[in-house]
Amino acid sequence: MKKCWLCSNPLEGNHRTGEHIIPSAIGGRKEVHDFICRSCNSTRGDAWEAELARQFLWFSSAAGVKRGRGGTHPDFKVETASGEKLRLRADSVLVPDGHDISTEESGNRIEVAIRANDPRTIKNLLKKIAVDHPEFDFKNATTHSEQVDSYLDEPLCMNFRYGGPAAGRSMVKSCLALLSEVDHIETSNCVRALAYLLDPSLDAPSPCYFFFDADLVENRPQNHLFHCVSVVGQPQEGRILGYVELFNFARLLILIADEYSGPDFQETYAIDPVEGKMLDLAIDFSLVGRLDDLPKIASEPPKMYLEAFQHTGNLVQDLNDDRVRTLAISKAREGALKALGLAPSAEEVPPELKDEWIRLFMQNLRPYIESTIRRAAP
């Protein structure tokens, strides 16, 4: 009978559960069922994966990564170069992080101006103002509201780092999940990695190395994002190694075992997290030499890391630009149809309304076009 890799629970009945090799929150799809029990997944795995997902939330949201179990990404807080605080929503829209409100009293009237992200917030703020000003009849007040779309014309500023105790354990767990599908591998073959997962202390000996001495991905994709997990048994070196790469740049080499004497093997799982398609990638572990010569944490970002990070940034920006353009066109189209009294889902416009529909469509699309021109200007 199969048992949980992290405890002694038998993997049957309510204890048995599916475990994504790569967390579903960043686009993983493939599951294994003979790895860890439901209890360990809830008490350990969920917290590790939540931290990993938080670290890579910008990339997941901006690129439109499809979550493996559905749902949407939480908002991601960012700040512009000028200091404006914004939130990136899962639909690629940037909205203000908070609201602005101003009131001006003049005689027997009060003017309230509210800038918020949704009608519900405006309604709640008006209720609060009504409490603060009971003498005014807000229910019968004259109201005017409009939705205004604007586009960012300045850079965003973010700090980024990956790894650490929780996210690092999530990446180690990914390697062990893949190993659980290798027939002859038992938990006794994975002592170094399991000891790290089972020791919750912050000073637990880490089996992880940041590896940027060589590019292990022989057929590295250049035009789309990918995640990959690969494990290899090297009996000549007496070790089992794991390699995790997320979003084309976040790379971690893992010493799973250092007393291995079984047969040679290698298993790899890779996926395009945007399209959800599995990839056939080749990982060359022969490029990995002595682990004692590798840093646990680099003193400064290696050149290969900076280049890979920049390349990923460009890919994510292109994907986000496509999503913003698609959304702008869709909203302009639906807005023009609605203004003409047509259903937003209408596929055809009556001939006598086409000229007016085109005028309204271009009017709605104008803010996006102007922003695109400004950003492209030298």
Side-chain angles (χ1 to χ4, degrees), residues 264-279:
D264 292 288
F265 71 87
Q266 183 169 352
E267 293 288 337
T268 300
Y269 167 62
I271 189 171
D272 177 336
V274 177
E275 298 295 332
K277 296 179 180 178
M278 289 184 61
L279 305 173

Side-chain angles (χ1 to χ4, degrees), residues 16-21 29-36 173-174 176-181:
R16 196 166 189 262
T17 184
E19 172 67 16
H20 285 87
I21 294 175
R29 295 291 192 278
K30 185 177 181 179
E31 291 183 275
V32 295
H33 292 83
D34 293 324
F35 176 43
I36 62 175
K173 182 168 70 72
S174 289
L176 295 186
L178 184 59
L179 267 178
S180 71
E181 293 204 313

Side-chain angles (χ1 to χ4, degrees), residues 65-78:
V65 167
K66 297 179 178 65
R67 294 171 66 99
R69 289 176 176 166
T72 59
H73 297 290
D75 292 353
F76 181 80
K77 293 186 178 183
V78 294

Side-chain angles (χ1 to χ4, degrees), residues 197-213:
L197 294 188
L198 293 171
D199 185 348
S201 63
L202 294 178
D203 58 352
S206 172
C208 306
Y209 301 83
F210 290 93
F211 188 81
F212 291 92
D213 287 13

Side-chain angles (χ1 to χ4, degrees), residues 93-121:
V93 175
L94 283 165
V95 297
D97 183 23
H99 57 265
D100 297 324
I101 182 169
S102 63
T103 60
E104 183 177 341
E105 297 184 43
S106 176
N108 64 346
R109 57 182 283 138
I110 180 171
E111 291 187 2
V112 181
I114 300 175
R115 177 175 177 251
N117 298 324
D118 57 81
R120 179 180 295 180
T121 300

Side-chain angles (χ1 to χ4, degrees), residues 106-146:
S106 176
N108 64 346
R109 57 182 283 138
I110 180 171
E111 291 187 2
V112 181
I114 300 175
R115 177 175 177 251
N117 298 324
D118 57 81
R120 179 180 295 180
T121 300
I122 294 176
K123 185 177 180 180
N124 291 336
L125 289 171
L126 284 174
K127 288 180 178 179
K128 182 178 183 302
I129 294 172
V131 173
D132 295 338
H133 299 272
E135 69 274 18
F136 292 100
D137 184 6
F138 277 87
K139 285 187 177 181
N140 297 315
T142 301
T143 61
H144 168 74
S145 65
E146 61 178 332

